[in-house]
Amino acid sequence: AQSVTQLDSQVPVFEEAPVELRCNYSSSVSVYLFWYVQYPNQGLQLLLKYLSGSTLVKGINGFEAEFNKSQTSFHLRKPSVHISDTAEYFCAVSGKNTGGFKTIFGAGTRLFVKA
Amino acid sequence: DGGITQSPKYLFRKEGQNVTLSCEQNLNHDAMYWYRQDPGQGLRLIYYSQIVNDFQKGDIAEGYSVSREKKESFPLTVTSAQKNPTAFYLCASSTGIAYPYEQYFGPGTRLTVT
């Protein structure tokens, strides 16, 4: 079984400042990690994913995340945010269960970018 | 353009009525999912389907029912047995469940029951 914890429910930040959204996971099997973004009243779309290989993963809109196995973390970062990055961000972990892979989503982190 | 459509975007119902939410995909995906989203709780899995004519309960299936008669379609019925049906409902699909494929989401349906 796996679980995922997003450590901050809301993160306010000024435009052009850096941001880090934190995600920790636990699992008894190998995991695969995702970050999704949800703009108001819309569905989720994939930002980036870690399946294997380099632990630093680059995604769309200038976001990147680093898989840290020893700390069981997959934090999302952006060096300089824009107003348009205001959205809710979900970390997700996928692991092999009986019958196939199951994906668990975190509770979400709401990012507010202020002018 | 390939994608997932959900209709309607907003739905209002009186307590005690069943209501069906539509989900259609043209991505040729085998797997489809229904999630419920409540503020501060993230996404909770209601039902999923790996293939036509097969579906499995998720974590919060009570008060809901689904069908998968066609590959493209996975409608969700919210029955009168669901105690707190007011929520934002998201449909998703993926290539399958034999690998950690990403999920593609529809725009959602906001259901309000009074």
Side-chain angles (χ1 to χ4, degrees):
Chain A
Q2 37 304 336
S3 67
V4 58
T5 302
Q6 291 185 243
L7 296 155
D8 306 293
S9 59
Q10 297 185 58
V11 173
V13 63
F14 284 103
E15 195 175 17
E16 298 182 9
V19 71
E20 178 180 83
L21 306 183
R22 297 180 294 166
C23 173
N24 284 91
Y25 68 90
S26 67
S27 178
S28 56
V29 297
S30 295
V31 293
Y32 305 87
L33 297 152
F34 304 79
W35 276 98
Y36 288 84
V37 60
Q38 183 182 34
Y39 298 103
N41 293 310
Q42 294 186 28
L44 280 67
Q45 57 182 279
L46 183 72
L47 268 181
L48 48 80
K49 60 187 176 185
Y50 172 78
L51 300 180
S52 65
S54 173
T55 57
L56 182 63
V57 181
K58 293 190 184 299
I60 62 170
N61 300 342
F63 283 94
E64 63 180 35
E66 186 155 20
F67 171 57
N68 188 320
K69 190 173 181 179
S70 62
Q71 297 190 10
T72 60
S73 69
F74 191 55
H75 300 334
L76 181 71
R77 302 186 183 99
K78 186 169 182 177
S80 174
V81 295
H82 303 291
I83 297 286
S84 59
D85 292 322
T86 294
E88 189 152 21
Y89 293 80
F90 292 92
C91 182
V93 59
S94 186
K96 198 163 190 333
N97 287 258
T98 305
F101 280 83
K102 183 175 181 182
T103 299
I104 304 293
F105 289 84
T109 296
R110 196 169 292 276
L111 176 65
F112 294 102
V113 182
K114 301 177 285 187
Chain B
D1 279 338
I4 299 181
T5 55
Q6 291 186 244
S7 60
K9 192 168 179 65
Y10 298 95
L11 194 51
F12 298 88
R13 281 293 183 270
K14 294 287 187 189
E15 205 172 300
Q17 293 178 332
N18 291 356
V19 59
T20 298
L21 282 59
S22 166
C23 176
E24 304 276 331
Q25 55 101 356
N26 61 3
L27 299 167
N28 199 33
H29 284 168
D30 284 323
M32 296 187 74
Y33 314 80
W34 274 105
Y35 293 93
R36 171 181 172 136
Q37 186 177 16
D38 296 283
Q41 296 196 48
L43 277 66
R44 292 183 290 168
L45 183 64
I46 304 172
Y47 269 97
Y48 69 98
S49 167
Q50 299 181 54
I51 198 167
V52 173
N53 293 323
D54 179 71
F55 48 82
Q56 308 293 329
K57 291 182 180 180
D59 302 315
I60 56 163
E62 186 175 347
Y64 300 97
S65 66
V66 293
S67 63
R68 185 92 186 271
E69 297 176 1
K70 298 188 300 182
K71 188 174 186 176
E72 303 78 21
S73 178
F74 191 42
L76 173 75
T77 297
V78 185
T79 75
S80 56
Q82 168 49 233
K83 292 184 175 21
N84 294 299
T86 294
F88 190 53
Y89 291 88
L90 286 162
C91 179
S93 71
S94 70
T95 302
I97 68 166
Y99 185 76
Y101 294 107
E102 69 180 270
Q103 295 185 17
Y104 293 77
F105 286 81
T109 292
R110 189 167 296 281
L111 173 64
T112 303
V113 177
T114 56

